[in-house]
Amino acid sequence: MQVSAEQQLKKEIGFTVALALVVGTVIGSGVFVAPGAVLKEAGSSSMALLAWLLAGLLTMAGGLTIAEVSTQIFKTGGLYVYLEEVYGKTVGYLSGWMQTVIYSPAVIGALGLYMGSLVAGLFKWSEQWNIWIGIGTVVFLAVVNSLGTRFGGILQTVLTVAKLIPIALIVVFGIWQGEAPVLGGESGFSGGGNLGGAILACLFAYDGWIIVGTVAGEMKNPAKLLPKVIFAGLALATAVYLLVNVALFDVLSPEKVATLGANAGGSAAEILFGEIGGKLITVGIIVSIFATLNGMILGSSRIPFAMAERGQLPFSKFLSRVHPISRVPVVAIACQVMIAIGLMLVSNPDKLAQISVFAIFIFYILAFFAVFILRRRNRGIKRPYNVPLYPWIPVLAILGSSFVVVSTLLTQPRDSLMAIGIMVIGLPILWWLERKNKH
């Protein structure tokens, strides 16, 4: 009997690596650069902390809901596979198409360029090195992940631990030595008090957790592992975001955090640890981005691989190949990295990533609603995991994602329509491939 490419994937991912994938992907550069932006929207430190907490709870609701869906669909591909299994080929294809051609490569490209800029700045190199450092980093991580899931997983675990060290130092010493009032401090910017806008900014910082579902086919026991990993990872990420904000407010005061913006973390580190503190926090951000980048390359490549398994991409036979030794989808990894490098060279990946986030949250809504469909479809069948407080947790997840979609559509209509346009372009390709496969 012929073994499918997906069955050839090696099941090497355990709890530690999966947890590192969630935490490493969610806690990126946003933990250092987002507090100021959120505070400006919120208007006060109390409202900002409330926004981080509510956004964390909304994300947790989404994670717990997806856990029930994912434990009934043990396949590689994550969101793409969930939607295909529940809604059919076309809806699943559109989500996979968006993630393959824009979302994942744009995020990888943006992280690579940002990292190149930070590394060049740290060593006082000229700006022309930014893009080459970024490309070199992306290629290096692609090679590491092509050697096997175990190597990429070990690197992800080490990087996640490493990125938490500078965060822990700022939290512990900031809360211990800081003297500024944490609660009730005003941002000093007019137009604050927008709790909805603050929550929206926080939700974008929490995004990326669902990437763990893309490697479910390589997990040792996904039925038990996925719910635990998603809950633990998002709980840890929420705690980290809250504690970092408390430490920054305690050391700098809320008004200074809002004024300094992305530089607030470095300024707090200089106050706490002296001149070397600024460099320490820069290294911490670099490590943080490196871990997020590794997690994206590890997880995102499984989406075109899963699509190629179903013949839904051009050159599907090529893209669905699994290396006979490392047993990872090396061609799919190369595909994602090549698109990312192309975006790094000719476009603005940050803008493309923002555009694609709108479309991703549309698919999040469908994925959360899928829990109701699966319960009706599989009535009477015992489930490995049940989302707690059903149906309120899934409803909360749907409302949170709907808030992101509607807010983005109202504030950025042009970018939102562009995202829909890119998504629709994939349909003629699907129809052409289906016609070709029939013949």
Side-chain angles (χ1 to χ4, degrees):
M1 184 177 68
Q2 187 178 5
V3 180
S4 72
E6 184 163 331
Q7 289 175 311
Q8 296 175 39
L9 294 175
K10 205 167 185 178
K11 296 184 180 295
E12 293 185 320
I13 296 180
F15 179 82
T16 303
V17 171
L19 180 63
L21 187 58
V22 174
V23 176
T25 306
V26 172
I27 304 176
S29 58
V31 69
F32 298 104
V33 303
V38 173
L39 184 57
K40 288 179 184 178
E41 291 284 348
S44 70
S45 57
S46 300
M47 290 283 281
L49 291 173
L50 179 61
W52 282 108
L53 177 60
L54 292 176
L57 293 175
L58 288 173
T59 307
M60 189 82 69
L64 293 173
T65 303
I66 283 295
E68 180 172 322
V69 176
S70 62
T71 53
Q72 297 179 67
I73 305 172
F74 303 134
K75 294 183 180 179
T76 293
L79 182 64
Y80 155 68
V81 173
Y82 306 154
L83 296 181
E84 182 188 63
E85 291 286 324
V86 176
Y87 297 101
K89 183 185 294 184
T90 302
V91 174
Y93 167 82
L94 287 175
S95 70
W97 167 261
M98 174 60 71
Q99 293 176 81
T100 298
V101 301
I102 293 294
Y103 179 73
S104 298
V107 172
I108 292 170
L111 290 170
L113 286 174
Y114 191 24
M115 183 166 180
S117 175
L118 287 173
V119 172
L122 182 65
F123 293 101
K124 310 296 182 184
W125 294 341
S126 64
E127 290 186 2
Q128 65 182 4
W129 283 100
N130 293 3
I131 190 168
W132 302 115
I133 293 171
I135 291 175
T137 303
V138 169
V139 172
F140 169 75
L141 290 175
V143 171
V144 171
N145 281 280
S146 296
L147 296 175
T149 305
R150 184 168 63 92
F151 291 99
I154 291 172
L155 180 61
Q156 184 68 25
T157 303
V158 172
L159 290 173
T160 300
V161 173
K163 78 156 57 178
L164 292 176
I165 292 174
I167 294 174
L169 289 173
I170 290 179
V171 168
V172 172
F173 284 92
I175 295 176
W176 177 27
Q177 297 183 11
E179 298 178 350
V182 173
L183 299 176
E186 299 295 324
S187 68
F189 283 78
S190 59
N194 181 10
L195 182 60
I199 294 174
L200 181 61
C202 295
L203 284 171
F204 288 143
Y206 279 108
D207 191 36
W209 56 270
I210 203 169
I211 199 75
V212 71
T214 62
V215 293
E218 295 161 86
M219 288 183 180
K220 296 174 182 178
N221 190 347
K224 292 184 177 179
L225 201 61
L226 271 172
K228 293 179 181 178
V229 165
I230 291 174
F231 177 78
L234 291 178
L236 179 58
T238 303
V240 166
Y241 280 130
L242 284 170
L243 290 172
V244 166
N245 277 268
V246 169
L248 291 178
F249 297 156
D250 206 11
V251 173
L252 296 171
S253 82
E255 186 173 354
K256 284 187 179 179
V257 171
T259 303
L260 289 168
N263 297 314
S267 299
E270 288 183 10
I271 293 173
L272 292 170
F273 309 114
E275 187 177 345
I276 198 174
K279 290 187 176 181
L280 175 67
I281 201 66
T282 300
V283 172
I285 295 174
I286 290 172
V287 172
S288 182
I289 294 172
F290 199 65
T292 306
L293 191 53
N294 183 69
M296 282 299 301
I297 292 173
L298 174 64
S300 67
S301 59
R302 273 55 178 178
I303 300 167
F305 168 77
M307 295 183 72
E309 269 272 272
R310 294 155 177 78
Q312 293 184 342
L313 287 176
F315 312 107
S316 286
K317 285 187 178 180
F318 195 51
L319 287 168
S320 62
R321 287 184 182 177
V322 175
H323 194 277
I325 298 176
S326 65
R327 292 170 68 182
V328 296
V330 291
V331 180
I333 292 174
C335 171
Q336 290 286 269
V337 168
M338 287 173 63
I339 298 174
I341 292 174
L343 293 177
M344 294 169 75
L345 290 170
V346 303
S347 185
N348 181 355
D350 295 293
K351 187 68 173 177
L352 290 170
Q354 291 173 3
I355 293 172
S356 60
V357 162
F358 165 78
I360 288 299
F361 270 86
I362 291 177
F363 294 118
Y364 280 175
I365 295 171
L366 293 174
F368 299 148
F369 192 75
V371 74
F372 298 102
I373 298 175
L374 286 174
R375 285 212 175 190
R376 174 174 290 186
R377 184 182 298 174
N378 300 329
R379 187 177 296 167
I381 300 176
K382 186 178 180 181
R383 292 178 294 274
Y385 163 82
N386 292 308
V387 59
L389 301 178
Y390 178 89
W392 303 112
I393 293 294
V395 168
L396 184 61
I398 292 170
L399 291 176
S401 294
S402 300
F403 170 72
V404 174
V405 171
V406 173
S407 298
T408 308
L409 189 59
L410 293 176
T411 57
Q412 301 177 28
R414 183 178 177 182
D415 293 344
S416 301
L417 291 175
M418 188 181 299
I420 294 173
I422 294 172
M423 184 169 56
V424 171
I425 287 173
L427 285 174
I429 296 176
L430 174 63
W431 296 332
W432 171 72
L433 287 171
E434 287 182 337
R435 185 175 180 182
K436 180 183 176 183
N437 290 336
K438 284 181 180 179
H439 290 293

